[in-house]
Amino acid sequence: MTGSDSIGMEKLCYSINNRAILKDFDFLLERGVNRTILGVSGAGKTTILKLLLGLLKPQSGRVFFGDLCITGLRESQYREQRKRIAIVFQGGALFDSMTVGENVGYRLFEEGKLTQGEIEKVICEKLSFVGVERAINLYPSELSGGMKKRVAIARALAANPDYIFFDEPTTGLDPIGVYNICNLIQRLQAEGKTTLMVTHDLPTAFATSERFTFLHQARLIFEGNEQEMRNSDIPEVREFLHPTEQSLFV
Amino acid sequence: MNIAVIDKILIRFFSELQNYFALAGQTLIRLFIRPFYYREFAIQFDKLGFSSLFICVLTGLFTGMVMALQALIQLKPFAATSYVGGMVAATMVKELGPVLASMMVAGRVGSAITAELGTMVVTEQVDAMRVEGTDIIKRLVVPRLLALLLALPLLTVVTDAISLVGGYIMSAGYGINPTMYIKGIPQFMVFQDLIEGVTKPLFFALIVAMTGCYVGLNTKGGAEGVGASAKQAVVLSSVMILVTDFFLSKIFVAFR
Ligand SMILES: Nc1ncnc2c1ncn2[C@@H]1O[C@H](COP(=O)(O)OP(=O)(O)OP(=O)(O)O)[C@@H](O)[C@H]1O
Ligand SMILES: [Mg+2]
């Protein structure tokens, strides 16, 4: 039932200090189906991404990459498979002790398979894809928020992943910045990357995803496409959409 | 306080202890597994070791001076002031040099390690590294441990040497010439004391590095969490240094 090329979790329970963040949570991210996870702040959206990446260990249930169930494995046992997934963290999570260029080339330098010159070529290519090639020698502390996000995207791309997770990529950006990021994500999808977004910004979500998962009080309460979501009569979903609909039509 | 609460505290204490030793064990194993981050090691050696030189020089100088001062007051009535060099050397090399240098390094470097790693944890940089496929123990912990294992014995030797100079500065005022001062030293010490003097800092380096890294990597919360972790790391490693010093001294006495 799980396609060999999908990522997901089954019957997963996760709690912190006896407070349930996720209860019996099922989730499936299929190759080629771009998805957004919605939910109020603090609902556990970031937690889902970290669980999918094996950065957090669930109390019960399982997480799988295709046929490989990573729950119960040591990190070293799924490190290779996880390289197919990249993530752009909420704050960018750029390494402060390295320049932008070193950040983007981090994995390539670590793997040591390419020569210095080849790595530099990849770095320039990825940075110009996101439009910040001029920042190559700056440190993360010298960048603006939007530039940090774009560099983080460039770093995620350098590894040439199949899946990219975005944790609130447009939060805290001005409209032009939001447009640019959305545009970038659409270009990545056109190149065949599958994206998983976490956001409370509905325009971004609708612009970049086909399927939506709505999280409320540790449970999945809605799964479907844009039309289904707009027509949904689940109170929490309506409440979430409603204020945004108003502000869209003024 | 009822039993359930005590139970909870004990369970938490032992699970933390277990995790601490697990991290230490994993780190020690990785000391011998490639790849080795030479560049990280060099950066850390410079940052953690070399930059602590100045405070160790100050510590050594003033401790040596004050020890000589006190010893001279005690020795004067017995006309035994020529033994001052030996007294300073014996206490410094075996006990105070290693302990004081390590405490200084724990305060300066332990807190820095914790704050740096803690910040990396709360800003998700550690998670990002893991996703990039890096073994964070190898990349972040091993170079810091190695840097301290190499730096702390060297810093201790510097502290010891400077304290002898400090001792001599005071002794000169009591009409003791350098030859007398140096001749007093072997009368109070055996070769084993020198070994003790450089073995202890190795253990203390392990304590400072592992505590700094453990507390840093387990930081929770934002900036406040980082501050709390830094404080905790310094207190923990200082206490552990003093306790470990006692037991190490016991062991060395037993082998005399
Ligand atoms: N280390 C932790 N200790 C205690 N509670 C935590 C910890 N990490 C997360 N939480 C709690 O888990 C819940 C889910 O956190 P998460 O970061 O996944 O939320 P989120 O949906 O991403 O929110 P936001 O949209 O604000 O980023 C939050 O309510 C938070 O309080
Ligand atoms: Mg979040």
Side-chain angles (χ1 to χ4, degrees):
Chain A
M1 113 212 143
T2 62
S4 65
D5 206 20
S6 56
I7 297 170
M9 44 173 80
E10 258 177 20
K11 295 234 172 345
L12 190 128
C13 296
Y14 181 74
S15 53
I16 302 174
N17 304 331
N18 293 325
R19 190 165 73 87
I21 310 291
L22 296 176
K23 256 187 246 158
D24 286 332
F25 199 81
D26 288 323
F27 182 83
L28 186 65
L29 179 68
E30 290 145 305
R31 191 79 216 276
V33 182
N34 303 311
R35 187 177 280 281
T36 290
I37 301 175
L38 297 161
V40 293
S41 194
K45 303 182 297 298
T46 304
T47 308
I48 295 178
L49 297 186
K50 288 190 181 173
L51 282 162
L52 281 174
L53 285 164
L55 295 171
L56 297 173
K57 299 265 171 250
Q59 271 83 19
S60 67
R62 51 186 225 113
V63 175
F64 51 86
F65 297 166
D67 298 324
L68 178 79
C69 171
I70 65 160
T71 313
L73 297 186
R74 267 179 286 120
E75 188 160 31
S76 54
Q77 294 172 297
Y78 55 83
R79 201 172 273 145
E80 280 309 313
Q81 284 84 346
R82 186 168 64 187
K83 286 188 176 174
R84 292 177 55 217
I85 314 172
I87 177 166
V88 178
F89 280 99
Q90 209 159 346
L94 299 177
F95 308 129
D96 334 288
S97 58
M98 301 176 205
T99 64
V100 165
E102 286 165 346
N103 262 284
V104 175
Y106 180 83
R107 184 182 292 192
L108 301 174
F109 283 121
E110 285 277 295
E111 289 176 347
K113 286 180 197 147
L114 302 180
T115 64
Q116 182 84 19
E118 286 169 324
I119 294 177
E120 271 161 23
K121 224 179 100 207
V122 175
I123 293 173
C124 289
E125 185 190 313
K126 302 301 174 193
L127 281 177
S128 63
F129 182 80
V130 298
V132 283
E133 59 275 56
R134 283 167 56 205
I136 187 162
N137 289 321
L138 298 181
Y139 281 88
S141 57
E142 299 166 306
L143 303 180
S144 73
M147 283 165 94
K148 274 187 195 158
K149 291 210 163 132
R150 285 198 255 170
V151 174
I153 294 175
R155 183 176 68 187
L157 292 179
N160 202 15
D162 295 333
Y163 292 93
I164 309 181
F165 295 178
F166 292 92
D167 194 352
E168 316 218 353
T170 54
T171 314
L173 297 185
D174 61 75
I176 300 167
V178 173
Y179 174 82
N180 283 332
I181 299 278
C182 282
N183 191 263
L184 259 177
I185 294 173
Q186 286 162 343
R187 275 159 64 206
L188 290 175
Q189 291 168 343
E191 284 185 6
K193 314 277 184 212
T194 304
T195 61
L196 174 61
M197 286 252 285
V198 156
T199 187
H200 8 229
D201 182 26
L202 286 169
T204 311
F206 291 140
T208 56
S209 306
E210 293 115 53
R211 304 291 291 182
F212 302 86
T213 298
F214 198 99
L215 181 67
H216 182 72
Q217 292 191 342
R219 290 184 190 278
L220 188 158
I221 58 166
F222 171 83
E223 201 286 319
N225 63 23
E226 178 176 348
Q227 209 49 48
E228 285 163 353
M229 186 151 116
R230 286 195 189 280
N231 297 336
S232 166
D233 47 13
I234 300 168
E236 287 79 16
V237 177
R238 290 184 71 89
E239 198 186 316
F240 196 84
L241 293 178
H242 191 60
T244 322
E245 269 174 349
Q246 269 189 336
S247 59
L248 273 176
F249 292 125
V250 283
Chain B
M1 231 204 280
N2 58 34
I3 297 289
V5 175
I6 298 173
D7 210 36
K8 227 175 178 176
I9 294 173
L10 280 181
I11 288 174
R12 194 154 158 234
F13 174 76
F14 283 109
S15 83
E16 292 264 346
L17 204 65
Q18 190 183 359
N19 291 342
Y20 182 89
F21 282 107
L23 179 68
Q26 286 170 339
T27 310
L28 290 176
I29 291 171
R30 281 169 177 76
L31 284 179
F32 306 101
I33 299 176
R34 298 199 315 149
F36 185 72
Y37 290 95
Y38 295 99
R39 187 160 164 259
E40 275 294 298
F41 168 72
I43 292 171
Q44 295 304 331
F45 185 75
D46 178 51
K47 217 155 75 173
L48 307 181
F50 195 70
S51 61
S52 302
L53 197 57
F54 184 62
I55 51 164
C56 285
V57 167
L58 277 186
T59 310
L61 185 65
F62 283 96
T63 318
M65 275 165 57
V66 78
M67 292 224 342
L69 181 67
Q70 298 288 4
L72 285 164
I73 294 170
Q74 302 285 325
L75 293 171
K76 199 150 189 235
F78 306 102
T81 46
S82 59
Y83 292 128
V84 65
M87 286 187 73
V88 172
T91 26
M92 282 307 291
V93 169
K94 278 196 293 182
E95 290 296 338
L96 286 182
V99 170
L100 288 179
S102 308
M103 298 274 262
M104 285 303 188
V105 169
R108 190 180 180 288
V109 168
S111 60
I113 293 177
T114 310
E116 188 178 357
L117 295 189
T119 307
M120 289 184 72
V121 169
V122 302
T123 56
E124 295 175 320
Q125 291 177 51
V126 170
D127 285 335
M129 264 189 188
R130 286 169 65 187
V131 176
E132 296 284 338
T134 303
D135 180 340
I136 55 164
I137 297 180
K138 207 180 274 173
R139 164 106 197 182
L140 298 174
V141 183
V142 168
R144 286 173 172 79
L145 174 63
L146 266 183
L148 276 185
L149 281 176
L150 187 65
L152 203 47
L154 293 175
L155 288 170
T156 304
V157 170
V158 171
T159 310
D160 292 344
I162 299 287
S163 73
L164 286 177
V165 175
Y168 180 73
I169 294 174
M170 290 313 292
S171 311
Y174 283 77
I176 294 166
N177 66 43
T179 335
M180 267 160 80
Y181 185 79
I182 290 170
K183 266 193 173 158
I185 296 175
Q187 291 175 300
F188 279 75
M189 289 177 64
V190 291
F191 183 67
Q192 197 203 324
D193 296 339
L194 293 178
I195 296 179
E196 183 174 344
V198 291
T199 311
K200 279 179 170 178
L202 286 177
F203 285 89
F204 300 157
L206 189 67
I207 291 173
V208 173
M210 291 321 302
T211 311
C213 291
Y214 178 77
V215 177
L217 289 176
N218 286 289
T219 299
K220 302 241 155 57
E224 198 188 336
V226 175
S229 282
K231 183 182 71 185
Q232 196 190 0
V234 175
V235 173
L236 257 178
S237 41
S238 304
V239 171
M240 279 166 73
I241 286 170
L242 292 175
V243 174
T244 312
D245 181 51
F246 172 77
F247 288 106
L248 286 176
S249 300
K250 265 299 225 195
I251 293 171
F252 276 107
V253 169
F255 281 99
R256 255 183 118 85

